[in-house]
Amino acid sequence: MSREIDEIFRRAKEGRPLFVNRDALSPDFVPPRLPFRDPQTRAVAQTLAPILRGAKPSNLLLYGKTGTGKTAVTNYVLERLKTEANNPSLVLAYVNTRLADGEYRTLADFARFLDLSKGKQIPLTGLAIGEVVDRIFENIRTNKKKVVLVLDEIDYLVKLFGDDILYAFTRSGNKLAPGFLAIVGISNDLKFKEGLDPRVLSSMSEEELVFPPYTVDELREILKERAGAAFRPSVASAAAINLCAAMAGSEHGDARRAIDLLRIAGEVAEREGLGEIDEACIKQASAKMEVDRVDEAIRSLPVQTKAILYAVSRFDGGTNTGELYLAYSTLCKRLGIETLTQRRLSGILGDLDLLGLVEASVVSKGRRGRTKKIQLLISKDTLTKTLSEDVAFEAAT
Ligand SMILES: Nc1ncnc2c1ncn2[C@@H]1O[C@H](COP(=O)(O)OP(=O)(O)OP(=O)(O)O)[C@@H](O)[C@H]1O
Ligand SMILES: [Mg+2]
C-alpha cells in the first residue's frame, strides 16, 4: 500500500502545471506586438500623431468583424502616444460604450479623463445629458485641452440611444477653441453607419480604416506567439496550434476565438493531467465554448423571445408559423405573459434566425402560397437547462 501511495505522490509532484503565464491568453492581455496589423497600427498612429504638436487630428472610424484586433491596435497606439504626450493639456480618453451602458455613463466615464468628476462637477446621476455635455465642453475650452476620445463598440451606443451625443461632439468645433475634441469610433457592425445622421457620418468618418478577418495562416502565427508566452515549451505542439487556428479561423477569422480555444484546451489538458494539448482537448474545448456561447445568447434574450424559442423547441422535427403560434399562445397563458401578434412573432423569429438559434426559412407550398419552415438549431437540453434558471419560466420547464 505504502508503495502505491508513494507512486501517487511521485506522479503528482511530476505533473507540473502546463501554464507559465495564463494571462498571456487572457482576453485583456495586450501583446508586445500585433502581427499582421502593421498597416492599421501605422494608420491609427499617423492619424493621431498631430496631437503631439497640439494640432487637431482627423476624426477616425475603425471597422471590422469581432476579434480582428481593433481594440488591441487602438490601445497599443494609445499606450505609445501616452508616453510621448507628457503634457497635462493633452488628453487621451478611452470609453467602451457597451460597458458604460448608457449615454450618461458614457459621458461620465469620459469626464473622468478630464478630471471633471473630481469636485463633483459630474455627479453619477441627476444632470440632463445636455448639461453634462456643456460642462465637458466648458472644461475643454477653459483649460485649452486637446482631447482624443476613443469610443469603442460605438454601434452599441447608437443602436440603443441614437446619435445625439455624437451630433453634439462632431458639431463642437468653435465652442471648444482653443481646445479641441477628436473622436475615434470603433464598430464591429458594418451597418452601424446607416443609423447615423448624414452630418454626423460625414464628420465622424473623415478617415476610415477597415480590419479584415484573419486568415487561418495568420491566426496560426498569432497563436504561436501567444502560446510561447503562456505555456511551458512542448505543451502546445505545432499540430495543436494548427488545429485551433483552423477551427477558429475557417469561419470567422476571429483572433479572440482562436486564443480562447487554445486557453480552454490548455485548461482541459491540465485538469486531465496530460503533458500536452492533444486533439481531444481541443475538441472538448470547442464544444464547451459552443455551449457557453449558446447559453449566453439565450440568457440575454427578452422574455417574449425566450418564450418563442421555447415554443420552437417543442417540435422535434421542425414546424410552421401557424402551429408554432398556437403553441406559443398556450405557453404565454401558462406563463401569465402577454401574447404578441403573429406578425410580431414572425419578426422575432427573424432575429432568432440571425442569432443562429433557429432556422426560419420560407418554403413554397406551390399554389397554396408560402410558409415558414421553423427549426431549432441548438440542443434542446441546453435550452431547457438555461431557461429553467429564469423564474419567468418556472411554470414551463
Ligand atoms: N494581430 C494580433 N496579434 C496578437 N493578438 C491579437 C492580434 N489581433 C487580435 N489579437 C488578440 O485577439 C483578441 C481580440 O482582439 P480585439 O479585442 O482587438 O478584437 P476587436 O476587433 O476589438 O473585437 P470586437 O469587435 O469584438 O471588440 C485580443 O485578445 C487581442 O489581444
Ligand atoms: Mg473590441
Side-chain angles (χ1 to χ4, degrees):
M1 183 66 187
S2 88
R3 198 179 299 158
E4 204 177 312
I5 290 178
D6 285 347
E7 177 63 17
I8 291 172
F9 288 167
R10 189 186 61 78
R11 260 192 271 140
K13 269 191 192 158
E14 273 179 4
R16 285 188 291 158
L18 303 187
F19 288 93
V20 285
N21 178 11
R22 205 176 294 261
D23 283 347
L25 292 175
S26 89
D28 308 323
F29 183 80
V30 181
R33 50 176 228 117
L34 295 162
F36 313 110
R37 282 297 174 252
D38 284 352
Q40 287 79 3
T41 309
R42 201 176 300 125
V44 174
Q46 244 152 19
T47 305
L48 299 185
I51 197 175
L52 293 174
R53 52 180 157 79
K56 181 177 185 293
S58 301
N59 292 332
L60 172 65
L61 261 187
L62 307 183
Y63 278 110
K65 292 202 174 141
T66 193
T68 51
K70 302 178 296 297
T71 300
V73 163
T74 307
N75 281 332
Y76 181 86
V77 175
L78 282 186
E79 287 307 315
R80 298 290 299 271
L81 259 185
K82 266 182 213 157
T83 57
E84 297 288 332
N86 41 15
N87 172 344
S89 72
L90 302 185
V91 179
L92 300 165
Y94 171 93
V95 178
N96 180 310
T97 81
R98 182 174 55 81
L99 299 180
D101 199 17
E103 285 182 296
Y104 198 96
R105 288 233 39 96
T106 299
L107 291 171
D109 282 2
F110 174 29
R112 276 193 296 154
F113 288 91
L114 299 165
D115 287 333
L116 239 171
S117 45
K118 282 182 186 161
K120 299 214 168 34
Q121 291 180 72
I122 305 269
L124 281 176
T125 55
L127 297 179
I129 298 291
E131 175 64 25
V132 182
V133 171
D134 286 347
R135 289 192 192 186
I136 286 174
F137 287 0
E138 176 66 18
N139 177 281
I140 295 176
R141 188 177 58 79
T142 51
N143 299 301
K144 304 185 176 70
K145 284 185 179 155
K146 327 269 189 207
V147 184
V148 169
L149 168 61
V150 177
L151 289 172
D152 201 352
E153 308 197 35
I154 193 175
D155 42 315
Y156 187 90
L157 178 76
V158 172
K159 214 176 292 162
L160 271 81
F161 305 97
D163 61 0
D164 293 352
I165 291 185
L166 296 182
Y167 187 80
F169 282 175
T170 51
R171 306 263 113 194
S172 60
N174 332 345
K175 289 187 213 153
L176 304 179
F180 62 71
L181 171 61
I183 307 278
V184 178
I186 305 181
S187 168
N188 62 28
D189 178 0
L190 304 178
K191 281 195 280 184
F192 130 90
K193 284 205 227 170
E194 295 167 8
L196 291 180
D197 179 305
R199 287 168 295 183
V200 175
L201 178 59
S202 75
S203 71
M204 279 286 302
S205 54
E206 287 172 330
E207 310 246 357
E208 282 191 13
L209 199 55
V210 176
F211 285 60
Y214 292 111
T215 64
V216 172
D217 288 342
E218 288 171 343
L219 288 177
R220 185 187 309 132
E221 289 305 310
I222 290 172
L223 282 183
K224 216 188 277 173
E225 282 194 20
R226 301 285 287 258
F231 294 112
R232 280 197 294 114
S234 85
V235 169
S237 65
I241 286 175
N242 279 347
L243 184 60
C244 287
M247 284 176 65
S250 53
E251 224 180 301
H252 307 276
D254 173 348
R256 182 180 301 112
R257 211 181 158 96
I259 291 169
D260 284 348
L261 184 59
L262 186 63
R263 187 191 65 249
I264 296 170
E267 284 161 2
V268 171
E270 201 167 57
R271 213 170 26 239
E272 307 218 326
L274 303 175
E276 63 167 345
I277 298 169
D278 64 15
E279 188 178 329
C281 298
I282 297 170
K283 294 263 160 73
Q284 211 175 314
S286 172
K288 178 176 182 320
M289 280 171 67
E290 182 57 18
V291 170
D292 288 351
R293 185 188 74 81
V294 170
D295 214 57
E296 183 55 39
I298 298 170
R299 227 185 280 275
S300 56
L301 295 174
V303 68
Q304 283 289 348
T305 314
K306 283 180 180 166
I308 294 170
L309 192 59
Y310 184 75
V312 173
S313 76
R314 297 300 96 188
F315 299 93
D316 281 335
T319 180
N320 59 50
T321 321
E323 213 175 40
L324 175 67
Y325 191 69
L326 274 180
Y328 158 76
S329 308
T330 314
L331 176 67
C332 288
K333 285 201 198 86
R334 200 151 42 130
L335 297 178
I337 60 173
E338 184 197 351
T339 309
L340 301 179
T341 61
Q342 186 157 337
R343 202 188 145 96
R344 291 278 306 281
L345 175 133
S346 284
I348 292 175
L349 276 178
D351 295 344
L352 288 171
D353 186 298
L354 281 180
L355 283 171
L357 299 175
V358 157
E359 185 181 4
S361 53
V362 178
V363 290
S364 167
K365 294 208 298 185
R367 268 181 299 150
R368 286 167 51 229
R370 299 183 313 163
T371 182
K372 262 190 184 154
K373 171 127 171 54
I374 302 154
Q375 208 160 4
L376 193 69
L377 290 180
I378 54 176
S379 127
K380 193 168 154 180
D381 291 345
T382 311
L383 176 68
T384 313
K385 189 163 154 287
T386 309
L387 285 184
S388 68
E389 291 160 15
D390 186 332
V391 284
F393 280 81
E394 263 167 12
T397 56

